[in-house]
């Protein structure tokens, strides 16, 4: 398995002989609105041309439809017959943008010999913001001769995440870890403390922190997370924090 960190939650995942693109955001730096009133997003450029990001992909998975997970650039650049998996509630919206090969995932499915299970998450710490931000999903991937991979998606560390880890015993966990906040929301995805707690909940897993240093409402940098992990005794072999453009082989 290879994981190519692109930007934010956009990754190229090579798994069971297929290349899966997650949460494609392909537009330029400052291509859409600010979330925290600091600067427009994304706050950084892609590490490679967008044409290279989508080259030879076999499928796209969209965890939810916020701009920082499926932007106008992706809607314009991806071929309209690209296979796309999404949560059920987003199916109609993606179809309306012209894509013709969209499959909603309610619970799980088999795609090209990969068993993909949709998992729930909490995109906020309180009911008000959960209602405002809407439903989000993560996904568990399983295939013969591959590690069990759990991509949490945009979620805080909640009971659903804990239960997914306990049930699936993943070998690799992709977390969204920049501690993003909007006004009085509190963290709407994991921060450094919750990311380290994931490491402790899954002591045999490799945790890979993504969704970092690309949006103006992030509160935790890569160095912040690295320093906190060091203080808590979590080694660099347990928690990987890839920079944009980095390829990890697992």
């Amino acid at each position: 398995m290879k994981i190519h960190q692109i930007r934010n939650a956009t990754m190229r995942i090579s798994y069971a002989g297929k290349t899966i693109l997650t949460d494609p955001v392909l537009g330029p730096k400052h291509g859409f609105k600010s979330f925290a009133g600091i600067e427009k997003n994304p706050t950084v450029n892609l590490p490679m041309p967008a044409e290279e990001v989508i080259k030879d992909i076999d499928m796209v998975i969209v965890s939810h439809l916020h701009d920082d997970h499926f932007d106008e650039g992706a809607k314009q650049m991806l071929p309209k017959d690209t296979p796309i998996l999404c949560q059920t509630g987003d199916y109609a919206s993606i179809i309306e943008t012209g894509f013709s090969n969209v499959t909603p995932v309610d619970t799980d499915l088999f795609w090209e010999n990969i068993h993909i299970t949709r998992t729930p998450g909490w995109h906020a710490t309180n009911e008000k913001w959960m209602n405002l931000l809407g439903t989000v999903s993560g996904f568990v991937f399983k295939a013969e001769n591959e590690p069990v991979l759990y991509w949490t998606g945009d979620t805080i560390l909640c009971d659903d995440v804990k239960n997914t880890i306990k049930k699936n015993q993943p070998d690799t966990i992709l977390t969204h870890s920049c501690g993003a906040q909007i006004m009085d929301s509190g963290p709407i995805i994991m921060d450094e403390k919750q990311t380290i707690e994931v490491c402790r909940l899954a002591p045999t897993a490799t945790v890979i922190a993504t969704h970092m240093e690309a949006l103006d409402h992030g509160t935790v940098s890569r160095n912040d997370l690295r320093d906190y992990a060091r203080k808590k005794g979590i080694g660099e072999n347990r928690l990987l924090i890839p920079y944009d453009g980095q390829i990890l082989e697992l």
Side-chain angles (χ1 to χ4, degrees), residues 152-164:
T152 68
D154 262 12
T155 181
I156 61 170
L157 178 57
C158 59
D159 288 344
D160 285 325
V161 172
K162 294 175 182 178
N163 291 337
T164 298

Side-chain angles (χ1 to χ4, degrees), residues 12 35 37-38 73 98 105 120 144 153-154 157 171 212-213 238 241:
R12 285 173 60 102
F35 296 140
I38 299 172
V105 184
E144 187 175 357
D154 262 12
L157 178 57
D171 300 294
M212 303 200 75
E213 297 184 357
R238 291 284 330 284
I241 311 171

Side-chain angles (χ1 to χ4, degrees), residues 236-247:
E236 294 182 3
N237 61 323
R238 291 284 330 284
L239 175 63
L240 307 180
I241 311 171
Y243 55 81
D244 290 351
Q246 185 173 357
I247 298 174

Side-chain angles (χ1 to χ4, degrees), residues 169-211:
Q169 296 294 302
D171 300 294
T172 305
I173 304 174
L174 292 164
T175 60
H176 293 184
S177 297
C178 74
Q181 299 189 37
I182 303 172
M183 295 184 288
D184 64 346
S185 67
I188 59 175
I189 61 174
M190 295 185 206
D191 57 14
E192 71 272 39
K193 296 179 178 66
Q194 293 182 6
T195 303
I196 296 309
E197 185 61 24
V198 170
C199 294
R200 290 176 171 155
L201 288 169
T204 63
T206 299
V207 177
I208 302 172
T210 66
H211 200 302

Side-chain angles (χ1 to χ4, degrees), residues 6-7 10 25-29 44-51 53 244:
I6 306 299
R7 179 179 61 183
T10 306
V25 174
L26 304 178
K29 178 180 178 180
V44 295
N45 291 309
L46 285 167
M48 55 200 288
E51 292 80 7
V53 176
D244 290 351

Side-chain angles (χ1 to χ4, degrees), residues 50-70:
E51 292 80 7
E52 291 185 26
V53 176
I54 65 175
K55 183 179 179 181
D56 297 328
I57 60 170
D58 295 298
M59 185 257 283
V60 169
I61 297 187
V62 176
S63 67
H64 63 299
L65 293 183
H66 291 167
D67 288 342
D68 57 322
H69 294 267
F70 192 46

Side-chain angles (χ1 to χ4, degrees), residues 1-3 11-16 20 22 61 114-117 119 138-143 146-152 164-165 168-175 205-208 210 250:
M1 178 176 70
K2 291 183 182 180
I3 296 172
M11 296 171 279
R12 285 173 60 102
I13 300 176
S14 300
Y15 193 87
I20 301 167
T22 64
I61 297 187
I114 303 173
H115 184 207
I116 300 174
T117 302
T119 63
F139 296 87
V140 172
F141 305 82
K142 297 179 181 178
E146 289 283 8
V148 177
L149 173 64
Y150 173 30
W151 171 36
T152 68
T164 298
I165 292 172
N168 292 279
Q169 296 294 302
D171 300 294
T172 305
I173 304 174
L174 292 164
T175 60
T206 299
V207 177
I208 302 172
T210 66
L250 300 120

